[in-house]
Amino acid sequence: MTERQREILAAIIEQHAEIAAPIGSVMLAKLFGVSSATIRSEMVKLEEMGFIEQPHTSAGRVPTDAGYRYYVNSLNEAHANEAQPLLMDRSTKAIEARVNTHGDRADRAIRSAVDSLVELTQNLGIATIGDELYMSGIGNLFSQPEFLQGNHTQAVARLLDNLEPWLREAAPNEPLNVYIGSENPIGKSSGATLIISRFRSPYSDHSYIGVIGPTRQSYAKVMRLVRHAGAMLEEVL
């Protein structure tokens, strides 16, 4: 993939996350300062690679699960190559302040970190507290435009119903794990993404905190916040 194609794919993903609609060549042409024809030509190549697709009712394009995976991998590579950790911004400071308030009570600290993620990402937040799964923000999840259709709603509900046993069985072992759409072991057709961080707590070496939302995510922001929440809980607890 060329550098420009990488940038166009990233722009489609980031714009789609914002407006929840297919992205057309005119919008991208303005962004890149080139002609619509040039963008359309690059979009055809990205479509041939399987990274974007054209919904039936629109001239614009949306990312595929493969497109999101390519983008997420590039974000992970960028994070791995950073010499210095990212500076704290207002969002990460907000999580830290709430977690530190409950540093003496592990269950409250974990719940407050989840509640912060729910507010900051507008996703459903989850965490394991001992043998229980804590969930918050389910209304956020089902108010997303993707999940207003029945088949998606049922698949997401199936994912949530089976999440706790799946986490125990799969035991994701990276500090940050991202399961995009069809990569999910259950609810493959849900169009949902699970972004989850493993951390050590008084309950277990395999405690988890994360969010579930549509595949249409602001991945850079959400991955950073989930990674930070896990690291912060491990430090405080």
Side-chain angles (χ1 to χ4, degrees):
M1 197 191 292
T2 67
E3 186 58 36
R4 180 156 70 182
Q5 285 162 357
R6 271 195 288 274
E7 288 173 1
I8 289 171
L9 176 62
I12 290 171
I13 286 171
E14 286 156 15
Q15 296 279 328
H16 184 54
E18 293 223 352
I19 66 171
I23 306 303
S25 57
V26 174
M27 183 188 291
L28 293 171
K30 287 177 185 165
L31 199 62
F32 285 91
V34 296
S35 71
S36 292
T38 300
I39 295 289
R40 279 196 298 275
S41 165
E42 296 287 35
M43 282 172 130
V44 167
K45 290 171 190 162
L46 286 168
E47 201 165 354
E48 285 168 355
M49 291 180 220
F51 291 144
I52 59 174
E53 62 188 359
Q54 184 172 15
H56 299 304
T57 55
S58 167
R61 303 294 193 282
V62 296
T64 62
D65 286 357
Y68 283 122
R69 171 46 60 197
Y70 184 94
Y71 178 73
V72 165
N73 287 351
S74 66
L75 290 176
N76 278 331
E77 279 171 33
H79 177 77
N81 293 332
E82 278 163 11
Q84 298 293 326
L86 284 173
L87 290 172
M88 297 268 283
D89 64 6
R90 190 179 300 165
S91 298
T92 48
K93 283 178 182 169
I95 299 174
E96 185 169 54
R98 283 175 75 163
V99 168
N100 280 328
T101 306
H102 301 293
D104 56 334
R105 283 282 305 275
D107 59 334
R108 286 189 183 174
I110 294 169
R111 282 190 174 90
S112 65
V114 171
D115 295 343
S116 294
L117 284 177
V118 169
E119 287 171 22
L120 293 166
T121 68
Q122 293 302 299
N123 284 328
L124 167 75
I126 57 167
T128 52
I129 303 176
D131 293 328
E132 291 182 4
L133 187 67
Y134 174 65
M135 282 192 199
S136 176
I138 202 160
N140 283 353
L141 192 62
F142 290 112
S143 64
Q144 299 288 353
E146 291 90 336
F147 301 139
L148 297 176
Q149 300 157 9
N151 56 342
H152 281 301
T153 306
Q154 288 165 2
V156 173
R158 194 158 44 251
L159 178 65
L160 298 181
D161 280 344
N162 292 286
L163 193 56
E164 198 168 1
W166 175 75
L167 280 175
R168 277 201 301 274
E169 187 183 324
N173 58 5
E174 298 295 326
L176 190 78
N177 303 268
V178 181
Y179 300 92
I180 300 165
S182 55
E183 297 173 357
N184 281 297
I186 32 188
K188 287 179 186 292
S189 62
S190 61
T193 282
L194 171 61
I195 300 175
I196 199 157
S197 173
R198 179 186 58 108
F199 67 97
R200 286 193 301 275
S201 78
Y203 302 108
S204 165
D205 282 353
H206 287 82
S207 291
Y208 297 101
I209 183 167
V211 297
I212 297 174
T215 52
R216 179 185 57 81
Q217 284 278 336
S218 297
Y219 282 93
K221 171 189 169 184
V222 178
M223 287 165 65
R224 179 173 52 81
L225 290 174
V226 171
R227 187 186 277 119
H228 198 88
M232 198 180 301
L233 283 169
E234 184 160 303
E235 193 178 303
V236 169
L237 301 179

